[in-house]
Amino acid sequence: MTMTPQPMRLDIMIDYAMRFVGVPYIWGGAHPQQGFDCSGLVQEALASVGLDPPGDQTAASLYDALKVSAFQPIENPTRGALLFFGSPKLSHVAIALSQHIMIEAGGGGDHTKTVAGAIAARAAVRLRPIESRTDLKFMLIADRFFI
């Protein structure tokens, strides 16, 4: 079995996540055809490179699982970093595409449970400026991407 060179894994994860732009935001969603919520999208992207922790995670539980594994805290957004948002508790996660842009499943909430509801709310997987949110708390990057 041939392992993919590490820097390529980051590109694979991001390219995979980008395939889902426009997929509806569905609260609790974790399926490319049925819709994603924020943690469902991030877990799907992590799974594409073998880094997804087991189980269905919320943003907060995903942070708890990853901060004790092969992920390291960072100070500034960088391509591939996982961005965790929320105040006072973590409630949203996204992936940095650059220092200023992220991919996220957003625009909905716990009331967005159907595709029709997502369309009405314009809630979907989308690209958005990181600075559009003011509650960024933590950033983690998989050190495996850089070894």
Side-chain angles (χ1 to χ4, degrees):
M1 180 170 127
T2 304
M3 294 295 291
T4 305
Q6 302 306 327
M8 287 180 62
R9 289 178 78 186
L10 179 97
D11 292 329
I12 290 167
M13 181 186 80
I14 289 174
D15 290 347
Y16 186 68
M18 291 292 292
R19 296 161 95 188
F20 304 119
V21 170
V23 168
Y25 172 96
I26 302 293
W27 177 260
H31 195 276
Q33 282 80 41
Q34 298 168 357
F36 288 112
D37 68 4
C38 64
S39 58
L41 172 66
V42 170
Q43 283 192 262
E44 182 75 16
L46 289 171
S48 74
V49 291
L51 295 176
D52 181 30
D56 185 24
Q57 308 286 333
T58 65
S61 62
L62 187 59
Y63 175 77
D64 289 341
L66 297 178
K67 73 179 181 183
V68 296
S69 67
F71 284 73
Q72 301 298 319
I74 57 173
E75 295 294 321
N76 296 303
T78 188
R79 184 172 167 79
L82 304 184
L83 310 171
F84 292 89
F85 301 88
S87 181
K89 67 177 194 163
L90 295 179
S91 59
H92 188 64
V93 61
I95 302 169
L97 300 178
S98 70
Q99 188 174 1
H100 300 287
I101 302 294
M102 65 183 169
I103 183 170
E104 67 171 359
D110 61 0
H111 59 280
T112 312
K113 297 180 180 175
T114 65
V115 172
I119 291 168
R122 296 173 52 189
V125 176
R126 62 194 182 176
L127 305 184
R128 191 169 177 213
I130 294 169
E131 296 83 9
S132 65
R133 291 193 63 124
T134 59
D135 58 345
L136 178 60
K137 280 188 136 172
F138 303 107
M139 293 176 279
L140 296 175
I141 189 79
D143 54 6
R144 292 185 209 178
F145 289 147
F146 298 107
I147 5 186

